[in-house]
Amino acid sequence: QQQVKQSPQSLIVQKGGISIINCAYENTAFDYFPWYQQFPGKGPALLIAIRPDVSEKKEGRFTISFNKSAKQFSLHIMDSQPGDSATYFCAARKLNFGNEKLTFGTGTRLTIIP
Amino acid sequence: DTEVTQTPKHLVMGMTNKKSLKCEQHMGHRAMYWYKQKAKKPPELMFVYSYEKLSINESVPSRFSPECPNSSLLNLHLHALQPEDSALYLCASSLVDRGNQPQHFGDGTRLSIL
């Protein structure tokens, strides 16, 4: 029940295209859903996050779509650029002040080709 | 540059050595975390400290010993590690007592056990 399923495992998108990564969860106690971007040799960096009472959140070229009834959420990267090539992790968190745990998806390796 | 600083960046040690990893943050965060990340995998939670007290231990072997000497520092003491402990060790921090505050990660220590 703690699992977060992420797909696809790898994704190749042409420059300027839309990259879409999907995640699904089971535990309805999750109440915060961040996305992290990780470059080789670096730690995960927060990209964008959403609460389940919001259906969509947009920050620049990055958009999270959230479907609470389906327990699914997705990351859309518009106008994908070579600099977006990285591994992306979705995550889900159950709020428990000071004892919070992030449950990560398995990751998507995104490659943007010219 | 991340606001969570980890040292050293790389560490090679033998199975009989004792070494320590250090993590520092000055964002006023009162929750700090250790994660282990193997190649092409998501981070796995090891320990959580809240207000300098250990609040979560994810059944980590005793050869890993965490310490939180003050609100800005987190250490991970290593002793008699095994080759399978080779991984990227990530530190993270977050605010406590406020909902929807993300975890901020450092860039990790790349640990190799000979």
Side-chain angles (χ1 to χ4, degrees):
Chain A
Q1 202 177 22
Q2 294 292 322
Q3 197 175 13
V4 176
K5 296 181 180 178
Q6 183 172 346
S7 63
Q9 188 174 3
S10 63
L11 180 62
I12 299 174
V13 174
Q14 207 148 25
K15 179 183 174 183
I18 303 174
S19 303
I20 302 174
I21 304 171
N22 300 300
C23 286
Y25 64 98
E26 292 293 327
N27 190 346
T28 55
F30 290 138
D31 60 359
Y32 181 65
F33 300 87
W35 283 88
Y36 285 88
Q37 178 190 56
Q38 187 173 24
F39 292 105
K42 296 291 187 180
L46 179 71
L47 193 60
I48 188 172
I50 198 168
R51 290 173 43 178
D53 55 352
V54 176
S55 60
E56 185 174 285
K57 183 175 181 181
K58 184 176 180 180
E59 289 184 2
R61 297 184 294 110
F62 301 93
T63 300
I64 300 178
S65 297
F66 193 90
N67 186 330
K68 187 174 181 179
S69 59
K71 291 187 282 187
Q72 295 175 348
F73 58 110
S74 60
L75 176 69
H76 295 235
I77 305 175
M78 311 299 287
D79 187 27
S80 300
Q81 299 296 313
D84 297 331
S85 297
T87 299
Y88 292 80
F89 293 100
C90 63
R93 191 199 68 186
K94 186 166 61 174
L95 187 60
N96 185 4
F97 297 113
N99 290 297
E100 58 181 62
K101 295 171 64 171
L102 278 177
T103 300
F104 284 91
T106 49
T108 297
R109 179 170 286 190
L110 174 65
T111 303
I112 308 300
I113 55 175
Chain B
D1 290 340
T2 63
E3 296 176 66
V4 176
T5 304
Q6 290 188 243
T7 55
K9 293 189 185 303
H10 302 276
L11 179 61
V12 179
M13 58 187 285
M15 288 190 284
T16 59
N17 292 156
K18 286 185 181 181
K19 296 285 185 183
S20 297
L21 309 185
K22 180 180 173 181
C23 174
E24 194 167 359
Q25 57 87 16
H26 297 286
M27 296 180 282
H29 291 175
R30 300 307 294 273
M32 297 186 77
Y33 312 79
W34 280 116
Y35 288 85
K36 173 183 178 180
Q37 187 178 27
K38 301 285 267 185
K40 300 184 180 180
K41 297 291 186 182
E44 298 174 31
L45 183 66
M46 300 174 71
F47 303 103
V48 180
Y49 273 84
S50 177
Y51 291 98
E52 296 88 69
K53 292 185 178 177
L54 184 65
S55 58
I56 296 178
N57 178 340
E58 292 287 273
S59 302
V60 179
S62 60
R63 58 185 183 268
F64 294 92
S65 175
E67 178 197 21
C68 190
N70 60 55
S71 60
S72 300
L73 281 174
L74 186 67
N75 298 318
L76 186 62
H77 303 297
L78 314 172
H79 174 55
L81 295 193
Q82 303 299 307
E84 61 265 27
D85 296 323
S86 297
L88 181 68
Y89 288 84
L90 294 163
C91 173
S93 69
S94 68
L95 282 168
V96 184
D97 299 336
R98 289 187 187 182
N100 304 319
Q101 295 299 321
Q103 292 184 20
H104 297 260
F105 286 82
D107 283 337
T109 294
R110 175 79 55 191
L111 177 64
S112 298
I113 307 300
L114 300 179

